[in-house]
Amino acid sequence: MARCVVRLQSLLCEPVLQQPYLLGSAVTRHLRRPLPRVASQHRDFHTTRGVFKDAAESSKITIHFINQDGERTTTTATEGESLLDVVVNKNLDFSGFGACEGTLACSTCHLIFDKNVFNKLEPLVDEELDMLDLAYGLTDTSRLGCQVFVQKGMDGMTVQVPQKVNDIRKAAESSWKQ
């Protein structure tokens, strides 16, 4: 995220530096300072990660979801979609799922994976771990659906939605009513 901010700063500052008379001298000096270095590790934190292939080109992957009531729902997904996108795009009815729309600001897309599937997923990052700490029913194989992207090896996997969702919006609404 820091890399995006630094790049955004440089994109915004380059045209301004060509015309320094538009800014005061203190601001111009500040903008000409070298931008800080960022860590070499980079990971996107949103649901539009990567370039999606056309549906005709991509293979469809079958995913089974077990909802809060224990009912099994089977759907297909395109490689590269996040599991949150799959739930939203297929209109799967999971109460309170994906409140932050994949911005990694909540834990409402919390999913529980089988151990063998969990071990094949990309490693967790600190930001996801922080949000998982807020999740209800956390297990050793819990992940956030907005951070898990469909891969060919996931074909036929089963994912469980926890019994309850820790949605802070409901707590905020009830405190406003009081």
Side-chain angles (χ1 to χ4, degrees), residues 1 20 37 47 63 85 146 149 170:
M1 186 165 189
R37 297 274 182 209
T47 60
I63 300 174
D85 288 339
C146 64
F149 295 87
K170 290 182 181 176

Side-chain angles (χ1 to χ4, degrees), residues 43 46-49 52 61-66 73 75-92 94 97-98 101-102 108-114 117-118 121-122 128 141-161:
R43 177 153 178 204
H46 50 79
T47 60
T48 57
R49 179 179 162 199
F52 297 125
I61 293 144
T62 302
I63 300 174
H64 309 284
F65 290 94
I66 299 175
T73 304
T75 189
T76 57
T78 305
E79 187 177 355
E81 282 184 296
S82 73
L83 291 179
L84 173 63
D85 288 339
V86 173
V87 170
V88 171
N89 294 339
K90 301 292 182 174
N91 293 321
L92 302 180
F94 301 146
F97 196 85
E101 299 177 356
T108 58
C109 63
H110 170 215
L111 295 169
I112 301 170
F113 293 85
D114 292 332
V117 174
F118 180 82
L121 300 176
E122 292 182 22
E128 183 178 1
T141 59
S142 291
R143 290 292 301 265
L144 296 180
C146 64
Q147 298 301 303
V148 177
F149 295 87
V150 177
Q151 302 167 2
K152 286 182 183 178
M154 295 179 174
D155 194 27
M157 78 170 176
T158 301
V159 182
Q160 183 176 352
V161 179

Side-chain angles (χ1 to χ4, degrees), residues 45 104 107 118 123-135 138-140 142-144 147:
F45 295 106
L104 201 58
S107 63
F118 180 82
L124 288 114
V125 293
D126 291 339
E127 291 84 355
E128 183 178 1
L129 283 170
D130 291 343
M131 289 297 109
L132 280 170
D133 286 341
L134 305 173
L138 188 65
T139 69
D140 291 338
S142 291
R143 290 292 301 265
L144 296 180
Q147 298 301 303

